[in-house]
Amino acid sequence: MKKFLTAMLGIMLIVVSSFTTFGFTSEQQPDKITDFTLMENQINIINEDKNVVNSTNNNAIEKLAALNAPSNWNLTGVSVNNKYNYVVGDIVVIKPITTGNTSGVKYKYVWSRNNWSSWGVIGQVTTSNFMNLKLSAPGEYMFTVDAIYGDKVISKSVTVNVKSSQTSAKTWNLTGVSTDKKSYYTGDTVVIKPITTGNTSGVKYKYVWSRNNWSSWGVIGQVTTSNFMNLKLSAPGEYMFTVDAIYGDKVISKSITVNVSSPQSAIKTWNLTGVSTDKTLYYTGDTVVIKPITTG
């Protein structure tokens, strides 16, 4: 772009009959332009002898600046990375939606909450086409972006709702408790799982076992966010497994009952009903496979 501007400036200086149009007197006329810089209040023209010729003519500054200005740009809206499901602690990514050549356009990012009851500017005015903000409180947020170039300013906004982590889990429920089998023997390991619905993010569980109407009982592990727990069954009896689901001051308890038998009681109903072999006809040298036929 700089080479393009140098060429354009050279053409302008050759074509125009008097350099005074661009703010130069005849004494300031450069023999050959090799470089230039645009500054806020002047243009520095550098000739082949590396001498700097300054112009403070507003007309010249405006014409040269216009060559490098973004053309036909527009700010059409503002986008966020997750419009519907923000909770406190999330990070929102705010992006201006633009069209055209936005080179040199700067952006100002502003947040407001609950109809401007609190607000702030995010970072500095910048050419960055995105900005991040960590959400620290619940409420209705409006994110506004001002796109700025010269005296052209366009503003657009987007509104999102931010929930507290407790609010986000309000719809959760504990509907029951499941185990991996319906009956067990001592020495088996039971897998206990809470049956839940809704958003259980952040919900914690307390697992409790009891045997024979609370004649013995205990807590399995620590209160945890894990949605299952294992327990090795060490004695026969009727077991009740209770799960407490906990979030803030909301606690729901559900239980399931299973029977645990000892290996001896399991063997009481066994029977030997016969013997089988793998074939009915054998020859000398054959190997016979003999199996007891049992029940129970």
PDB file of all heavy atoms in Angstrom, residues 138-152:
ATOM      1  N   PRO A 138     -24.599 -12.658  37.373  1.00  0.00           N
ATOM      2  CA  PRO A 138     -25.747 -12.969  36.515  1.00  0.00           C
ATOM      3  C   PRO A 138     -26.477 -11.698  36.100  1.00  0.00           C
ATOM      4  O   PRO A 138     -26.337 -10.645  36.714  1.00  0.00           O
ATOM      5  CB  PRO A 138     -26.619 -13.841  37.413  1.00  0.00           C
ATOM      6  CG  PRO A 138     -26.296 -13.389  38.806  1.00  0.00           C
ATOM      7  CD  PRO A 138     -24.851 -13.003  38.788  1.00  0.00           C
ATOM      8  N   GLY A 139     -27.286 -11.811  35.043  1.00  0.00           N
ATOM      9  CA  GLY A 139     -28.091 -10.678  34.600  1.00  0.00           C
ATOM     10  C   GLY A 139     -28.206 -10.626  33.100  1.00  0.00           C
ATOM     11  O   GLY A 139     -27.722 -11.506  32.382  1.00  0.00           O
ATOM     12  N   GLU A 140     -28.870  -9.573  32.604  1.00  0.00           N
ATOM     13  CA  GLU A 140     -28.988  -9.349  31.166  1.00  0.00           C
ATOM     14  C   GLU A 140     -27.858  -8.424  30.739  1.00  0.00           C
ATOM     15  O   GLU A 140     -27.766  -7.284  31.202  1.00  0.00           O
ATOM     16  CB  GLU A 140     -30.334  -8.737  30.817  1.00  0.00           C
ATOM     17  CG  GLU A 140     -30.534  -8.566  29.311  1.00  0.00           C
ATOM     18  CD  GLU A 140     -31.853  -7.930  28.955  1.00  0.00           C
ATOM     19  OE1 GLU A 140     -31.996  -6.709  29.181  1.00  0.00           O
ATOM     20  OE2 GLU A 140     -32.742  -8.645  28.464  1.00  0.00           O
ATOM     21  N   TYR A 141     -26.994  -8.921  29.863  1.00  0.00           N
ATOM     22  CA  TYR A 141     -25.844  -8.159  29.397  1.00  0.00           C
ATOM     23  C   TYR A 141     -26.092  -7.636  27.987  1.00  0.00           C
ATOM     24  O   TYR A 141     -26.648  -8.343  27.142  1.00  0.00           O
ATOM     25  CB  TYR A 141     -24.592  -9.030  29.367  1.00  0.00           C
ATOM     26  CG  TYR A 141     -23.929  -9.239  30.707  1.00  0.00           C
ATOM     27  CD1 TYR A 141     -24.487 -10.083  31.656  1.00  0.00           C
ATOM     28  CD2 TYR A 141     -22.733  -8.606  31.027  1.00  0.00           C
ATOM     29  CE1 TYR A 141     -23.881 -10.292  32.883  1.00  0.00           C
ATOM     30  CE2 TYR A 141     -22.113  -8.804  32.251  1.00  0.00           C
ATOM     31  CZ  TYR A 141     -22.692  -9.653  33.179  1.00  0.00           C
ATOM     32  OH  TYR A 141     -22.091  -9.856  34.386  1.00  0.00           O
ATOM     33  N   MET A 142     -25.648  -6.416  27.741  1.00  0.00           N
ATOM     34  CA  MET A 142     -25.612  -5.883  26.383  1.00  0.00           C
ATOM     35  C   MET A 142     -24.161  -5.559  26.044  1.00  0.00           C
ATOM     36  O   MET A 142     -23.484  -4.847  26.799  1.00  0.00           O
ATOM     37  CB  MET A 142     -26.482  -4.634  26.237  1.00  0.00           C
ATOM     38  CG  MET A 142     -26.510  -4.102  24.810  1.00  0.00           C
ATOM     39  SD  MET A 142     -27.775  -2.815  24.542  1.00  0.00           S
ATOM     40  CE  MET A 142     -27.104  -1.481  25.558  1.00  0.00           C
ATOM     41  N   PHE A 143     -23.678  -6.116  24.931  1.00  0.00           N
ATOM     42  CA  PHE A 143     -22.325  -5.849  24.464  1.00  0.00           C
ATOM     43  C   PHE A 143     -22.421  -4.941  23.241  1.00  0.00           C
ATOM     44  O   PHE A 143     -23.056  -5.284  22.242  1.00  0.00           O
ATOM     45  CB  PHE A 143     -21.599  -7.148  24.121  1.00  0.00           C
ATOM     46  CG  PHE A 143     -21.527  -8.098  25.284  1.00  0.00           C
ATOM     47  CD1 PHE A 143     -22.237  -9.286  25.266  1.00  0.00           C
ATOM     48  CD2 PHE A 143     -20.771  -7.785  26.398  1.00  0.00           C
ATOM     49  CE1 PHE A 143     -22.197 -10.153  26.341  1.00  0.00           C
ATOM     50  CE2 PHE A 143     -20.717  -8.654  27.478  1.00  0.00           C
ATOM     51  CZ  PHE A 143     -21.433  -9.836  27.458  1.00  0.00           C
ATOM     52  N   THR A 144     -21.802  -3.767  23.336  1.00  0.00           N
ATOM     53  CA  THR A 144     -21.857  -2.765  22.282  1.00  0.00           C
ATOM     54  C   THR A 144     -20.464  -2.579  21.685  1.00  0.00           C
ATOM     55  O   THR A 144     -19.479  -2.483  22.426  1.00  0.00           O
ATOM     56  CB  THR A 144     -22.371  -1.421  22.835  1.00  0.00           C
ATOM     57  OG1 THR A 144     -23.672  -1.620  23.395  1.00  0.00           O
ATOM     58  CG2 THR A 144     -22.450  -0.371  21.741  1.00  0.00           C
ATOM     59  N   VAL A 145     -20.407  -2.538  20.365  1.00  0.00           N
ATOM     60  CA  VAL A 145     -19.152  -2.268  19.665  1.00  0.00           C
ATOM     61  C   VAL A 145     -19.313  -0.979  18.869  1.00  0.00           C
ATOM     62  O   VAL A 145     -20.269  -0.830  18.099  1.00  0.00           O
ATOM     63  CB  VAL A 145     -18.772  -3.425  18.723  1.00  0.00           C
ATOM     64  CG1 VAL A 145     -17.500  -3.088  17.947  1.00  0.00           C
ATOM     65  CG2 VAL A 145     -18.579  -4.719  19.504  1.00  0.00           C
ATOM     66  N   ASP A 146     -18.393  -0.027  19.077  1.00  0.00           N
ATOM     67  CA  ASP A 146     -18.300   1.174  18.250  1.00  0.00           C
ATOM     68  C   ASP A 146     -17.176   0.952  17.246  1.00  0.00           C
ATOM     69  O   ASP A 146     -16.028   0.700  17.639  1.00  0.00           O
ATOM     70  CB  ASP A 146     -17.971   2.411  19.094  1.00  0.00           C
ATOM     71  CG  ASP A 146     -19.066   2.740  20.102  1.00  0.00           C
ATOM     72  OD1 ASP A 146     -20.218   2.332  19.873  1.00  0.00           O
ATOM     73  OD2 ASP A 146     -18.752   3.386  21.125  1.00  0.00           O
ATOM     74  N   ALA A 147     -17.499   1.027  15.947  1.00  0.00           N
ATOM     75  CA  ALA A 147     -16.476   0.958  14.894  1.00  0.00           C
ATOM     76  C   ALA A 147     -16.156   2.390  14.477  1.00  0.00           C
ATOM     77  O   ALA A 147     -17.054   3.176  14.163  1.00  0.00           O
ATOM     78  CB  ALA A 147     -16.980   0.141  13.717  1.00  0.00           C
ATOM     79  N   ILE A 148     -14.861   2.742  14.467  1.00  0.00           N
ATOM     80  CA  ILE A 148     -14.448   4.139  14.334  1.00  0.00           C
ATOM     81  C   ILE A 148     -13.396   4.273  13.247  1.00  0.00           C
ATOM     82  O   ILE A 148     -12.390   3.547  13.249  1.00  0.00           O
ATOM     83  CB  ILE A 148     -13.869   4.659  15.666  1.00  0.00           C
ATOM     84  CG1 ILE A 148     -14.842   4.399  16.826  1.00  0.00           C
ATOM     85  CG2 ILE A 148     -13.508   6.140  15.578  1.00  0.00           C
ATOM     86  CD1 ILE A 148     -14.202   4.453  18.198  1.00  0.00           C
ATOM     87  N   TYR A 149     -13.634   5.176  12.310  1.00  0.00           N
ATOM     88  CA  TYR A 149     -12.574   5.594  11.378  1.00  0.00           C
ATOM     89  C   TYR A 149     -12.795   7.064  11.062  1.00  0.00           C
ATOM     90  O   TYR A 149     -13.808   7.439  10.461  1.00  0.00           O
ATOM     91  CB  TYR A 149     -12.570   4.778  10.095  1.00  0.00           C
ATOM     92  CG  TYR A 149     -11.320   5.046   9.287  1.00  0.00           C
ATOM     93  CD1 TYR A 149     -10.171   4.297   9.496  1.00  0.00           C
ATOM     94  CD2 TYR A 149     -11.272   6.089   8.381  1.00  0.00           C
ATOM     95  CE1 TYR A 149      -9.004   4.567   8.807  1.00  0.00           C
ATOM     96  CE2 TYR A 149     -10.109   6.374   7.683  1.00  0.00           C
ATOM     97  CZ  TYR A 149      -8.980   5.607   7.903  1.00  0.00           C
ATOM     98  OH  TYR A 149      -7.817   5.889   7.229  1.00  0.00           O
ATOM     99  N   GLY A 150     -11.847   7.909  11.472  1.00  0.00           N
ATOM    100  CA  GLY A 150     -12.009   9.351  11.277  1.00  0.00           C
ATOM    101  C   GLY A 150     -13.235   9.824  12.035  1.00  0.00           C
ATOM    102  O   GLY A 150     -13.409   9.535  13.217  1.00  0.00           O
ATOM    103  N   ASP A 151     -14.120  10.541  11.322  1.00  0.00           N
ATOM    104  CA  ASP A 151     -15.344  11.020  11.971  1.00  0.00           C
ATOM    105  C   ASP A 151     -16.525  10.086  11.718  1.00  0.00           C
ATOM    106  O   ASP A 151     -17.664  10.418  12.042  1.00  0.00           O
ATOM    107  CB  ASP A 151     -15.679  12.441  11.511  1.00  0.00           C
ATOM    108  CG  ASP A 151     -15.833  12.529   9.991  1.00  0.00           C
ATOM    109  OD1 ASP A 151     -15.645  11.504   9.313  1.00  0.00           O
ATOM    110  OD2 ASP A 151     -16.127  13.637   9.492  1.00  0.00           O
ATOM    111  N   LYS A 152     -16.258   8.912  11.147  1.00  0.00           N
ATOM    112  CA  LYS A 152     -17.317   7.926  10.905  1.00  0.00           C
ATOM    113  C   LYS A 152     -17.352   6.948  12.071  1.00  0.00           C
ATOM    114  O   LYS A 152     -16.371   6.262  12.360  1.00  0.00           O
ATOM    115  CB  LYS A 152     -17.078   7.188   9.592  1.00  0.00           C
ATOM    116  CG  LYS A 152     -18.143   6.139   9.258  1.00  0.00           C
ATOM    117  CD  LYS A 152     -17.844   5.474   7.911  1.00  0.00           C
ATOM    118  CE  LYS A 152     -18.859   4.394   7.570  1.00  0.00           C
ATOM    119  NZ  LYS A 152     -18.582   3.752   6.258  1.00  0.00           N
TER     120      LYS A 152
END
